[in-house]
């Protein structure tokens, strides 16, 4: 059988390689020229819009930061005047922060300052209304809204029905919530006024078991839970130590009499 002859592949010369590269570059330049001719204005427009948008954002950010600094200075100045019991000047300082142009946080803080001044002047009704405005402001920071709700209920507690107190503060009166101690105590007292000693005792017990709460609040809650017939003591030995009572284990370790005794 006859063999098929093999045709050698020609090797391009150096001149051919240079020519190929020049043609390739020319094709690319022509393609780029055609693209810029057809879409250059669009590309330029997008670039200009991007630059303009970046510049506008930087300008906005600059003025927004300046506005926040001015609001902070106004709040600090108002607090200084309030501490000096010059409540009229304090109110004038925060008045510009009550408008729609102010940040929600600054607006809420301004109302807190005004409410504090009204409380010092024994105008609890006016202070409660300001706290209610903060609590009902959907734009205000959640923590300030919760705190304002607690303060509003605290000021109006004697005029409120126990069921209303429970309805308003029940979402805050749960272990783990930042304001559980304050809200829980109010809700527990409302349950007690309704005659539900079991519910009140359970909340008092939960408060007493929260180690991150102030000891004065925990001690008061522990006593209230005991009155309701609910055990609020988790570690008896630790409680006795906190109360300054020597336990039998401590006595054996120190060689003191085995009976528990007050230090």
């Amino acid at each position: 059988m006859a063999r098929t002859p093999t045709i050698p592949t020609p090797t391009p010369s150096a001149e051919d390689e240079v020519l190929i590269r020049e043609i390739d570059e020319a094709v690319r330049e022509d393609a780029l020229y055609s693209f810029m001719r057809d879409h250059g204005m669009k590309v330029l427009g997008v670039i200009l819009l991007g630059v303009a948008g970046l510049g506008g954002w930087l300008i906005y950010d600059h003025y927004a930061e300046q506005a926040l600094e001015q609001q902070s200075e106004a709040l600090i100045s108002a607090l200084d005047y309030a501490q000096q019991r010059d409540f009229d000047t304090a109110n004038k300082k925060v008045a510009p922060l009550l408008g729609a142009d102010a940040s929600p946080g600054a607006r809420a803080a301004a109302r807190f300052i005004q409410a504090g001044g009204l409380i010092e002047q024994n105008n609890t009704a006016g202070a409660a209304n300001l706290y209610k405005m903060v609590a009902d402001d959907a734009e205000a920071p959640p923590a300030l809204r919760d705190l304002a709700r607690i303060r509003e209920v605290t000021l109006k507690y004697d005029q409120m029905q126990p069921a209303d107190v429970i309805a308003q503060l029940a979402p805050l009166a749960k272990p783990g919530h930042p304001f559980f101690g304050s809200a829980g105590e109010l809700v527990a007292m409302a349950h007690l006024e309704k005659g539900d000693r079991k519910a009140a005792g359970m909340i008092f017990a939960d408060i007493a078991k929260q180690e991150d709460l102030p000891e004065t609040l925990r001690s008061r809650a522990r006593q209230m839970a005991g009155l309701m017939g609910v055990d609020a003591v988790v570690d008896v030995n630790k409680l006795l130590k906190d109360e300054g009572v020597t336990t039998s284990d401590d006595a054996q370790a120190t060689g003191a009499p085995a009976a528990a005794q007050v230090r």
Side-chain angles (χ1 to χ4, degrees), residues 80-143:
D80 291 339
Y81 282 107
Q83 290 176 352
Q84 299 171 19
R85 303 188 63 81
D86 187 352
F87 302 117
D88 290 338
T89 304
N91 286 335
K92 292 179 182 178
K93 290 291 183 179
V94 299
L97 305 182
L98 301 177
D101 295 337
S103 68
R107 184 168 59 246
R111 285 175 175 152
F112 267 92
I113 292 175
Q114 288 185 326
L118 291 177
I119 291 174
E120 291 294 330
Q121 300 174 75
N122 297 319
N123 185 356
T124 57
N129 288 334
L130 286 174
Y131 287 135
K132 185 177 188 305
M133 293 175 68
V134 176
D136 293 340
D137 187 352
E139 296 182 346

Side-chain angles (χ1 to χ4, degrees), residues 177-248:
H177 193 281
F179 299 118
F180 169 58
S182 300
E185 191 172 34
L186 290 170
V187 171
M189 292 302 299
H191 279 298
L192 188 58
E193 290 187 11
K194 285 182 62 179
D196 192 345
R197 295 171 61 88
K198 181 179 179 180
M202 294 299 294
I203 295 177
F204 281 128
D206 285 338
I207 294 174
K209 296 174 183 177
Q210 303 300 310
E211 296 185 357
D212 58 336
L213 293 178
E215 182 56 34
T216 53
L217 174 59
R218 296 177 61 198
S219 177
R220 184 166 64 246
R222 190 181 303 114
Q223 293 175 6
M224 293 298 297
L227 292 175
M228 302 300 107
V230 179
D231 184 10
V233 179
V234 178
D235 188 339
V236 177
N237 290 331
K238 183 177 184 302
L239 174 62
L240 292 175
K241 290 180 181 180
D242 292 340
E243 296 293 335
V245 177
T246 303
T247 64
S248 58

Side-chain angles (χ1 to χ4, degrees), residues 28-60:
R28 292 184 182 183
E29 290 178 358
D30 184 65
L32 178 60
Y33 172 76
S34 299
F35 176 82
M36 293 303 297
R37 180 189 61 198
D38 297 335
H39 306 287
M41 294 303 297
K42 297 178 183 178
V43 173
L44 180 60
V46 170
I47 294 174
L48 291 176
L49 284 175
V51 173
L54 177 60
W57 182 85
L58 290 174
I59 294 174
Y60 168 79

